[in-house]
Amino acid sequence: MIHKTTSIRNLIQPSALSSLISKLGASSYATQAASSLQQACEPPSAYSNDEYADIDWNGLGFSVMPTDYMYIMKCPSDGYFQQGQLCRYGNIELSPSAGVLNYGQGLFEGTKVYRKKDGGLYLFRPDQNAIRMQIGAERMCMPSPSIEHFINAVKQTALANRRWIPPPGKGSLYVRPLLIGTGPVLGLAPSPEYTFLVYASPVGNYFKEGTAALNLYVEGEFHRASRGGAGGVKSITNYAPVLKAIHRAKDRGFSDVLYLDSLNKKNIEEVSSCNIFIVKGNILSTPATNGTILEGVTRKSMMEIAKDLGYQVEERTIPVDELIDADEVFCTGTAVGVAAVGSITYNGKRTEYEISPDLVCKKLYSRLVGIQSGAVEDNRGWVVEID
């Protein structure tokens, strides 16, 4: 099956693109690289019959655990994604001048596969991840898989790694789709070749605190994103720059960093890898996405669930000073799930929040888990079964 996708031809004329590739000598290398990858990527003849991998399911954290297979699909300079296939999990070969290595032309997504008590497998709103990748690809001048191709690749990866999906209640299989410029470039330009790759790893809690409340530090020196940048898409370039701030905060005993807007330095935006909400009375507020904040799938789901439960939901500018009077603060994200915040430190002042079973975030998360597990009716079609 061949899929025509949105191409960088919309931004660069075919003649100019061909000339560029020719000048860089990329065509020959791209053909060799594709051939090398094809030879190394032999489809599996059979999957393991083991129900579960032999690991300690009670000791899962959030780190890479190599599984059995990954999925790879190539898109050469003609703008067509070729037929993808499953390969044994392992290293991939890249040119030293690959666009992703030299200019950071890459995106990633994150979704999870869960196992039900009856053994069935399911995904949660994978179409939203596919759409977000398409939006990010347009921003980064990249072609992107269709929603159908994206979901199919995730499903294939999940089924091929079925024995790595934790038992119910023990965690999930975190699936990481990547879209990267693998073709060689020297001058600053879009890559002449792209690779869509999906791998997976079983995971437990994202934070070392487990389910304990988070202690956040408001960062006043470093910023995660700026207006006009790529903070609103899941570009790989958004994450390495925050490592210094995270490292510094964790050295001081904090769980993570809450960033302020880079323009006024007084409005909260998001945490390093998740969105943030504040609760005051019956009102849930979260920073409005304005190009610097990632539109999280869990964020969107929490907002819809909150409305169902009778809460008023606001997307707006939130001054950091409002944290002092908030009844509750919590974070959301695919990797993080829903995590209550126990304290936030800003300018040397620590604001603490009461943690109890009656927290709004716990009610919302309970409804979310209920929908995912089938205990609560899924009237929006969020849960996608894997055949």
Side-chain angles (χ1 to χ4, degrees):
M1 181 183 297
I2 295 178
H3 172 60
K4 176 65 176 175
T5 184
T6 303
S7 172
I8 56 176
R9 293 177 186 275
N10 293 332
L11 302 175
I12 301 177
Q13 292 299 314
S15 58
L17 180 59
S18 299
S19 175
L20 173 64
I21 295 173
S22 177
K23 289 178 181 178
L24 296 177
S27 180
S28 175
Y29 181 87
T31 301
Q32 294 173 11
S35 175
S36 173
L37 181 61
Q38 186 71 23
Q39 292 172 6
C41 189
E42 294 298 330
S45 55
Y47 302 137
S48 170
N49 292 322
D50 297 338
E51 183 178 6
Y52 290 109
D54 185 20
I55 62 174
D56 178 13
W57 297 110
N58 293 313
L60 288 177
F62 201 92
S63 59
V64 176
M65 184 177 294
T67 52
D68 296 327
Y69 297 100
M70 59 186 183
Y71 179 95
I72 292 180
M73 182 166 65
K74 308 288 286 189
C75 180
S77 59
D78 62 5
Y80 290 87
F81 273 104
Q82 300 170 345
Q83 177 66 46
Q85 63 180 350
L86 290 166
C87 315
R88 294 296 302 189
Y89 179 91
N91 296 336
I92 61 174
E93 182 178 299
L94 286 176
S95 164
S97 59
V100 66
L101 297 180
N102 288 259
Y103 299 116
Q105 195 182 21
L107 299 161
F108 75 90
E109 276 297 328
T111 188
K112 288 180 176 178
V113 180
Y114 301 88
R115 190 188 295 265
K116 291 185 176 182
K117 291 182 179 180
D118 63 5
L121 307 178
Y122 66 91
L123 291 158
F124 184 71
R125 307 188 74 176
D127 60 313
Q128 297 301 302
N129 298 97
I131 292 170
R132 191 167 63 181
M133 176 168 278
Q134 290 181 335
I135 293 171
E138 194 280 330
R139 175 65 178 84
M140 302 292 285
C141 298
M142 306 169 74
S144 60
S146 67
I147 296 175
E148 179 184 3
H149 277 76
F150 181 100
I151 296 176
N152 180 59
V154 169
K155 285 183 175 181
Q156 286 193 50
T157 305
L159 288 173
N161 294 297
R162 187 185 190 110
R163 71 192 187 104
W164 296 95
I165 303 174
K170 299 293 185 181
S172 59
L173 184 71
Y174 184 83
V175 182
R176 171 63 61 82
L178 292 165
L179 181 62
I180 55 178
T182 45
V185 290
L186 187 58
L188 181 57
S191 174
E193 176 192 85
Y194 297 90
T195 298
F196 176 63
L197 186 152
V198 185
Y199 71 92
S201 177
V203 298
N205 290 313
Y206 181 81
F207 290 106
K208 68 177 183 179
E209 293 89 344
T211 57
L214 305 179
N215 298 305
L216 301 181
Y217 175 79
V218 178
E219 177 58 59
E221 179 182 358
F222 300 110
H223 299 285
R224 179 190 169 273
S226 59
R227 295 289 178 91
V233 300
K234 212 164 176 63
S235 166
I236 63 173
T237 57
N238 291 336
Y239 294 86
V242 305
L243 295 178
K244 187 175 182 67
I246 295 174
H247 181 74
R248 188 167 67 175
K250 290 189 174 182
D251 278 350
R252 298 173 181 173
F254 297 101
S255 308
D256 210 330
V257 176
L258 173 59
Y259 298 90
L260 301 178
D261 72 293
S262 61
L263 183 61
N264 300 304
K265 300 183 180 181
K266 67 176 184 179
N267 303 314
I268 64 172
E269 292 213 322
E270 64 177 280
V271 182
S272 303
S273 57
C274 48
N275 298 117
I276 191 164
F277 286 81
I278 68 170
V279 181
K280 186 67 176 176
N282 198 52
I283 302 174
L284 271 72
S285 301
T286 189
T289 55
N290 53 14
T292 60
I293 298 172
L294 187 69
E295 294 193 47
V297 177
T298 309
R299 171 186 180 272
K300 181 184 295 186
S301 303
M302 287 296 97
M303 292 168 63
E304 294 182 53
I305 289 173
K307 292 176 183 177
D308 289 346
L309 296 181
Y311 292 96
Q312 180 180 334
V313 178
E314 299 178 342
E315 291 183 86
R316 61 179 176 85
T317 298
I318 302 177
V320 65
D321 292 338
E322 285 194 27
L323 295 173
I324 297 174
D325 298 321
D327 297 332
E328 178 185 336
V329 179
F330 63 92
C331 298
T332 64
T334 298
V336 172
V338 178
V341 174
S343 74
I344 297 179
T345 299
Y346 174 55
N347 282 343
K349 182 177 181 180
R350 181 185 177 99
T351 301
E352 297 188 347
Y353 306 97
E354 182 180 354
I355 302 299
S356 75
D358 297 324
L359 290 178
V360 172
C361 69
K362 293 185 181 296
K363 295 177 183 178
L364 299 180
Y365 187 56
S366 177
R367 175 62 66 94
L368 174 65
V369 173
I371 294 172
Q372 292 175 337
S373 65
V376 176
E377 183 180 0
D378 175 24
N379 53 24
R380 290 188 175 93
W382 285 353
V383 176
V384 176
E385 302 283 345
I386 299 178
D387 301 324

